[in-house]
């Protein structure tokens, strides 16, 4: 994040930051971490800025914790326990709706190795539907 952007953030959040939802990571999250109030809450569900460059630098998370913030990762694998059968029931219901045509999945398809670079770029530009 540019120095100007960081100054603008600091001005906009003069009292500090009490809650932060992150799915990007990187410089923006680091700038936010520097402004977190003690007792702040951070919800993390991804690190797209890191993934785009093949890295996974989450140094901002340690800074957030040192500043007294609670940091919670939210990944789908955190909720795979199905002791009460709700996930199994939901999957069966979704499948039934798909079979009946009430639910349709829309995806963008990329065919062949020649389209790999286009597919990769579109992962980060919000110009595709579904998973690549």
């Amino acid at each position: 994040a540019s120095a100007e952007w960081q100054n603008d953030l600091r001005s906009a959040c003069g009292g500090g930051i009490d809650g932060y939802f992150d799915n990007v990571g990187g410089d923006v999250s680091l700038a936010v971490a520097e402004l977190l109030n003690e007792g702040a809450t951070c919800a993390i569900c991804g690190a797209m800025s890191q993934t785009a460059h093949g890295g996974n630098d989450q140094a901002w998370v340690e800074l957030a914790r040192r500043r007294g913030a609670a940091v919670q990762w939210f990944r789908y694998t955190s909720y795979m326990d199905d002791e009460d059968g709700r996930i199994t029931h939901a999957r069966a219901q979704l499948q039934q709706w798909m079979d009946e045509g009430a639910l349709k999945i829309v995806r963008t398809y990329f065919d062949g190795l020649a389209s790999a670079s286009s597919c990769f770029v579109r992962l980060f530009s919000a110009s595709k539907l579904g998973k690549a």
Side-chain angles (χ1 to χ4, degrees):
S2 71
E4 180 182 355
W5 185 88
Q6 290 173 327
N7 287 333
D8 289 346
L9 180 64
R10 190 171 282 108
S11 293
C13 303
I17 297 172
D18 292 319
Y20 180 54
F21 176 84
D22 174 62
N23 68 344
V24 177
D27 294 340
V28 170
S29 295
L30 182 58
V32 168
E34 292 172 355
L35 298 175
L36 288 170
N37 292 323
E38 185 170 341
T41 301
C42 300
I44 305 171
C45 72
M48 285 303 290
S49 72
Q50 304 299 303
T51 304
H53 302 293
N56 190 22
D57 179 10
Q58 295 295 312
W60 76 270
V61 172
E62 284 308 312
L63 175 59
R65 288 187 175 132
R66 283 195 308 271
R67 293 185 60 82
V71 178
Q72 174 69 47
W73 292 84
F74 292 91
R75 296 184 177 105
Y76 76 94
T77 55
S78 301
Y79 303 94
M80 296 302 289
D81 183 13
D82 193 26
E83 288 181 17
D84 61 3
R86 288 188 297 169
I87 294 173
T88 300
H89 175 73
R91 285 182 177 152
Q93 182 65 69
L94 290 168
Q95 185 63 55
Q96 179 183 340
W97 289 338
M98 286 176 54
D99 294 345
E100 295 169 350
L103 178 65
K104 295 181 180 11
I105 296 177
V106 180
R107 295 184 179 141
T108 303
Y109 287 92
F110 298 89
D111 189 26
L113 191 54
S115 66
S117 61
S118 173
C119 174
F120 183 76
V121 168
R122 290 179 69 184
L123 280 170
F124 307 102
S125 65
S127 62
K128 66 164 197 63
L129 298 170
K131 293 185 176 186

